[in-house]
Amino acid sequence: MTGPGGGVAETTADEFVRAARASGKAALDEIAGKRLLAHYGVPVPKGVVLRAASEAAAVLSGLMPPFAVKVVSPQILHKSDAGGVRLGLRDAGEVSQAITEMGLRPAILAAQVEGWLVEEMADPGVEMVIGALRDQRFGQMLMVGLGGIFVEVLADVAFRICPVTREDARSMLDELRGRALLEGARGCEPVSREAIIDLLLRLGGTNGLLARHADEFAEVDLNPVIVTPGGALVADARFILGPVALPLSAPVRAPRDDLPVLERFAPLLAPRTIAVVGASVSDVTIANTFIRRLKGYGYAGAIYPIHPKAAEIEGLAACASLAATPQPVDYAYIAIGAERIPDTIAAGAGRVRFAQVIASGFGEVEGGEALEHDLVRKAHAAGCRVIGPNCLGLYSPRAGVSFSADAPKEPGSVGVIAQSGGLSTDIIKRGQWRGLRFSGVVSIGNSADVGPADLLEYFLADPHTRVVGLYLEDVKDGRRFFELMRGAASPKPVVILRGGRSRQGRLAAASHTGALAGDARAWNALERQVPCVETHTVDAFLEALLALQQLALRPGRPTRNVVLFGNGGGASVLAADTFAELGLDILPFDAATQGRLEALKLPPGTSVANPIDTPVRTLQEQDGFVARTILDIACDGARPDAVVMHLNLAAFVGRGSVDPVANLISVAESVQAARRGEAHFVLVLRSDGSPELDDAKRGYRARALGAKIPVYDEIANAAEALAAVSRMEARLMR
C-alpha cells in the first residue's frame, strides 16, 4: 500500500481535512499529514503503509533500509509513549517481528489500529522542531527550534507571525541560542540553513500551507526534522485540527468605512462642532469641566451643551438633544449614565459622526456586554462611530481640543492611542515636561467600536504624525494590526506599552476594559517583524517616544557604537555595562584617536578611553568649551552612531567662579548641528533633586530640546531609549 512518499494521486488539503473530520478525528494521521506536506513541496521520507505484519516481505523491496516503523491510530497521538515506534530495522523480517511485538503492547491493543507506517530512515543530522499554532488574535504563528533537550528543557525556540518572509525565517534561526549546532560546532559538518529556511517558507510563507489553510489547523508539529548538509527531511508530522470554521458572513460595515482613512477620522481629530452631553446647570460635572477646558484651551468651533430642559449651560446656548443642534456634530462627548447612552446617540440619527462615551458600566463589568453591543448597534444605525466606552476623552492640539488640564497647546508629531483614560492623562502631562508634543491622544477604553487598529491606520497615514504610541490591554483585531504595520507604504515607528503581560495583569485588565491580553510569544514576534518596540513601564514608553520624536532615524545604519562622555566616575562604568546589556557598544578608541586626546594634556583624573570620564576640573577648562575639542576628536576617530553626554549637575555646585554647564549645553547644540545624520546626540542631566538644580535643569532641558536633542534623567534611561532607536532602525531598513 502506498505511503507518504510513494507517488499517490494528488489529494488536496481540503480533502484530507474533510476526510479526517468525517471520521471524527481530532487530527490528521501521520500518513495524511506527510502527504499534505509533500503536496506543498516539503521533503518527507519514502514509505509504505502495511495493514499487517505479513505484508512486509511483499512491499518493502522498493525501500532502502534501515527502516522506521510506527503505529497508525486515531487514538494514539504520542506513538513513542504507547510503544508504537521502532527504529533501525534492517530487513522485512525485523519489520514483521517489530509489528507483531508492538501490536501486543497494552496501549496499542486498546486502540483502533489502522495500519503500520514503514519508512526509510533519514540520514543522521541535526534534529530540529518546526511547528505552528493559531493565536486567537494574530492568527497562525510559525515556530522553529533545536530538537531534544534544546526544546524540551531550554525552550530554545523562535516564533513569527505568518506569513513569514525569507528574512524572517533567517532571523528565526539567528535567534536560537543553539544555532552554533547548525554551523558545525565542535568539529561537526555544517548543515543546510537554506533547507530549513525553505521548509519554513513552504509551511508559513506567503503561499505556504498555513496561509492557504489558516483556519483548519490549531497546531502543527513537525518533530523531528532531520537537517543534513544536503537538505531537511520531516521524519514525523502531526496536524491538530481546529474548530469547524463557520461560513464567512459579509463583513460588518461601520458608517463611512468606504471613505479614505484621513477623511474618515478628520471629524474626530479636527472637529468643527462639538456636542457635550451630561453638563449640569446646578453642579460641576465632568461634562461641565470639559466645556470649561475647551473654552480655556481656545477651541474655535461651535460647542453645543445638550440638556433636555436648560436654555443655557456654561454661558452657551443649550440644545434639547443631539437632533436639535444647529449644525451636524463632528464629535460628541457623552458623560451620562450608561443605560441612557444608546438611545441618546440614536436620537441624533445622521447628525453625529463620532461619540466618545465616558461612562463605565459596559463590557468591563459582569452583565455589561449586552448594553455595550446595544450601544454599538444603535450608534451604527444612527450613522455614528463610538469611541470608548469607559474612557476620558480626546486631546488634539491641532484642533484646540483637550480633556486634560493645562495640556501643551503647540501641536507635535507623536500620536497616542490608549485603552486607559487615566494613563492617557499621565502620558500627556508626564510627556509634557519631558518635551513630548502630540499630534493627538485618543483614550479608547473598551474600544467597543473604534479599536486600536482603526486609529493606528489613521496615525500611520496622518502627515502630522511621525511616531505612534499605544497603551494596549486588548488589541482585538491583531491580524489587521500586524498587517497595517507590515504593509504601510511609509512605515512609522510604533512604541507599545502593553498591560496584562502577567496573570495578575490579565485579571486587572479584564476588570478594567473587559480585555484579555495576547500571548507574549505573539508580541515578541510582532516586535521582530514590524517597526515597533515594546516597553514595560510608562517611563520607558515616554522616553522611547521622546527619542523617536527628536532623532532622525537612519534605517540603513542601526545604532550600535556609542561614545559616552561626561563626569561620573563609577556612573560611567555602570553605564558601560547597561549599554552592553542592551546590545550597544562602548568600545575603546584606537591608538591614533586616544593619542590625539592625550595630547590635549587634560587635568589629572581624566580618562580619554571610551567612556571619556572628565572630572569637573576638566570640564571647567576653557569655561566648558574644551568639550567641543574632545568630542570632535572622538567623533572623527571613532565615527560613532551616537554620542551620549552625561552631566552630574550637583558636582558643579560651589566649584569655582564659572559654571560651565550652560556652555556645555552650547557644545551639545553645536555638535548635534554639525554631526546631524552622522551620530545621534543624547543628553543626560543628573540632579540631586534640590529645587535650585531642578529649576536650572528645566532651562537646560528646554534649550536642548529646541536643538532636537532628547534629554534624560539617568544614563540607563538614555541607554534604553537608544536601544529602542536601534531596534526601530533595524526594522525600518527592511
Side-chain angles (χ1 to χ4, degrees):
M1 184 175 183
T2 308
V8 297
E10 184 175 285
T11 306
T12 68
D14 290 338
E15 290 171 333
F16 286 129
V17 172
R18 280 197 298 270
R21 291 195 191 280
S23 61
K25 295 178 180 178
L28 300 186
D29 61 39
E30 186 176 353
I31 300 166
K34 285 183 173 175
R35 286 178 176 171
L36 178 58
L37 290 171
H39 181 76
Y40 280 89
V42 175
V44 296
K46 187 177 180 181
V48 295
V49 178
L50 308 184
R51 296 301 181 195
S54 59
E55 297 178 359
V59 299
L60 292 184
S61 58
L63 300 182
M64 295 292 294
F67 302 118
V69 181
K70 305 173 190 178
V71 66
V72 180
S73 169
Q75 283 86 43
I76 302 175
L77 284 180
H78 300 285
K79 297 179 284 291
S80 295
D81 293 346
V85 178
R86 292 287 180 88
L87 304 176
L89 305 176
R90 293 173 293 182
D91 53 34
E94 290 190 3
V95 169
S96 177
Q97 182 179 351
I99 291 173
T100 300
E101 293 173 352
M102 287 190 289
L104 299 176
R105 299 295 296 266
I108 296 175
L109 279 172
Q112 175 191 345
V113 175
E114 296 180 346
W116 303 88
L117 176 60
V118 184
E119 294 178 323
E120 296 179 348
M121 287 189 63
D123 293 334
V126 174
E127 289 193 7
M128 299 197 70
V129 177
I130 293 176
L133 58 87
R134 191 168 66 194
D135 182 84
Q136 61 177 332
R137 284 169 176 77
F138 291 95
Q140 290 289 355
M141 292 180 56
L142 190 65
M143 182 202 79
V144 66
L146 275 298
I149 190 172
F150 289 93
V151 67
E152 294 171 5
V153 178
L154 303 180
D156 186 15
V157 294
F159 284 88
R160 295 292 185 273
I161 300 167
C162 294
V164 299
T165 65
R166 184 165 290 274
E167 178 59 30
D168 289 331
R170 185 172 290 110
S171 68
M172 290 174 79
L173 298 184
D174 292 339
E175 192 177 319
L176 299 177
R177 299 192 298 277
R179 62 186 176 275
L181 292 177
L182 306 177
E183 298 160 359
R186 302 182 66 87
C188 296
E189 191 174 5
V191 300
S192 175
R193 283 173 53 103
E194 289 304 311
I196 306 169
I197 291 169
D198 286 343
L199 198 161
L200 290 170
L201 292 174
R202 291 182 186 278
L203 184 63
T206 302
N207 296 310
L209 189 157
L210 294 172
R212 299 284 186 87
H213 310 284
D215 295 332
E216 296 291 358
F217 302 115
E219 185 178 340
V220 177
D221 186 24
L222 311 184
N223 181 20
V225 176
I226 309 298
V227 189
T228 65
L233 188 75
V234 177
D236 200 354
R238 184 170 56 146
F239 288 80
I240 307 298
L241 298 175
V244 176
L246 296 175
L248 291 177
S249 57
V252 176
R253 301 290 293 177
R256 287 173 285 277
D257 262 359
D258 56 329
L259 294 177
V261 66
L262 292 177
E263 184 179 347
R264 194 186 324 151
F265 282 97
L268 174 65
L269 274 297
R272 293 166 296 183
T273 53
I274 296 178
V276 181
V277 182
S280 171
V281 294
S282 60
D283 197 3
V284 180
T285 67
I286 189 173
N288 292 77
T289 299
F290 181 61
I291 293 174
R292 294 178 184 183
R293 287 179 180 168
L294 281 176
K295 294 166 71 175
Y297 195 76
Y299 176 66
I303 305 173
Y304 304 127
I306 307 298
H307 195 284
K309 299 178 180 178
E312 181 180 292
I313 294 177
E314 297 291 341
L316 300 169
C319 303
S321 72
L322 290 170
T325 58
Q327 301 177 70
V329 173
D330 283 340
Y331 171 73
Y333 178 95
I334 301 182
I336 56 177
E339 296 80 5
R340 297 164 51 200
I341 293 175
D343 289 337
T344 297
I345 294 176
R351 295 181 53 79
V352 180
R353 298 290 291 273
F354 287 92
Q356 183 147 29
V357 177
I358 309 305
S360 56
F362 291 90
E364 80 283 359
V365 300
E366 187 175 354
E369 294 88 350
L371 183 61
E372 188 165 291
H373 292 153
D374 191 46
L375 166 67
V376 175
R377 180 179 60 82
K378 288 182 176 177
H380 283 192
C384 178
R385 298 299 304 271
V386 175
I387 310 294
N390 185 29
C391 54
L392 274 188
L394 168 72
Y395 170 50
S396 181
R398 75 181 87 169
V401 177
S402 178
F403 75 93
S404 178
D406 302 319
K409 292 189 175 182
E410 60 269 34
S413 60
V414 178
V416 173
I417 306 155
Q419 283 184 296
S420 165
L423 195 60
S424 61
T425 302
D426 287 345
I427 290 167
I428 295 167
K429 299 303 295 178
R430 292 169 66 175
Q432 177 182 359
W433 72 261
R434 281 176 164 88
L436 282 174
R437 295 296 181 265
F438 300 92
S439 59
V441 177
V442 187
S443 161
I444 61 174
N446 296 5
S447 52
D449 178 16
V450 175
D454 296 304
L455 288 165
L456 175 64
E457 182 183 8
Y458 170 79
F459 280 126
L460 289 175
D462 177 32
H464 301 284
T465 301
R466 288 185 57 231
V467 55
V468 183
L470 300 106
Y471 170 71
L472 298 174
E473 291 173 5
D474 181 12
V475 69
K476 293 186 181 294
D477 190 353
R479 188 75 221 166
R480 181 173 167 225
F481 191 77
F482 168 70
E483 290 171 352
L484 279 169
M485 283 190 280
R486 186 142 201 176
S490 300
K492 296 178 182 178
V494 176
V495 181
I496 296 173
L497 176 61
R498 184 167 58 90
R501 291 179 292 113
S502 66
R503 179 178 179 275
Q504 292 86 347
R506 286 191 290 275
L507 293 174
S511 64
H512 180 223
T513 63
L516 290 172
D519 193 296
R521 295 173 297 190
W523 291 96
N524 292 339
L526 182 78
E527 188 175 6
R528 289 170 168 81
Q529 289 178 269
V530 300
C532 79
V533 61
E534 185 175 356
T535 58
H536 296 154
T537 67
V538 176
D539 285 336
F541 177 73
L542 295 173
E543 285 154 0
L545 289 175
L546 178 63
L548 294 165
Q549 171 191 271
Q550 296 294 99
L551 302 176
L553 298 184
R554 300 181 305 246
R557 198 181 88 202
T559 296
R560 291 288 183 271
N561 297 320
V562 179
V563 165
L564 184 62
F565 168 88
N567 63 319
S572 296
V573 177
L574 294 173
D577 291 337
T578 300
F579 278 85
E581 289 163 1
L582 293 168
L584 301 171
D585 296 325
I586 298 177
L587 302 174
F589 297 133
D590 61 29
T593 301
Q594 191 152 334
R596 290 183 65 196
L597 290 169
E598 289 170 349
L600 297 176
K601 299 190 181 302
L602 299 170
T606 305
S607 171
V608 292
N610 191 20
I612 304 172
D613 193 20
T614 51
V616 169
R617 174 68 187 86
T618 300
L619 294 178
Q620 289 174 322
E621 292 280 303
Q622 304 170 33
D623 293 337
F625 287 107
V626 69
R628 178 61 194 263
T629 303
I630 295 171
L631 288 174
D632 278 344
I633 293 172
C635 289
D636 288 342
R639 311 299 297 176
D641 300 316
V643 175
V644 178
M645 176 190 282
H646 62 100
L647 302 175
N648 182 357
L649 301 180
F652 292 94
V653 176
R655 299 286 296 275
S657 58
V658 176
D659 177 3
V661 177
N663 292 340
L664 290 167
I665 302 298
S666 295
V667 169
E669 292 170 333
S670 64
V671 172
Q672 164 75 335
R675 305 280 174 177
R676 191 181 303 276
E678 297 177 20
H680 300 312
F681 199 101
V682 175
L683 184 61
V684 178
L685 298 177
R686 301 171 62 213
S687 168
D688 60 7
S690 66
E692 296 79 11
L693 280 184
D694 282 351
D695 285 344
K697 180 176 173 178
R698 275 189 283 273
Y700 298 142
R701 182 191 297 272
R703 279 187 56 189
L705 290 170
K708 303 298 290 182
I709 298 172
V711 181
Y712 297 97
D713 294 328
E714 296 293 342
I715 303 173
N717 304 138
E720 290 180 358
L722 272 179
V725 166
S726 177
R727 293 199 295 275
M728 207 69 73
E729 289 169 330
R731 298 285 83 76
L732 286 168
M733 68 186 293
R734 292 188 175 185

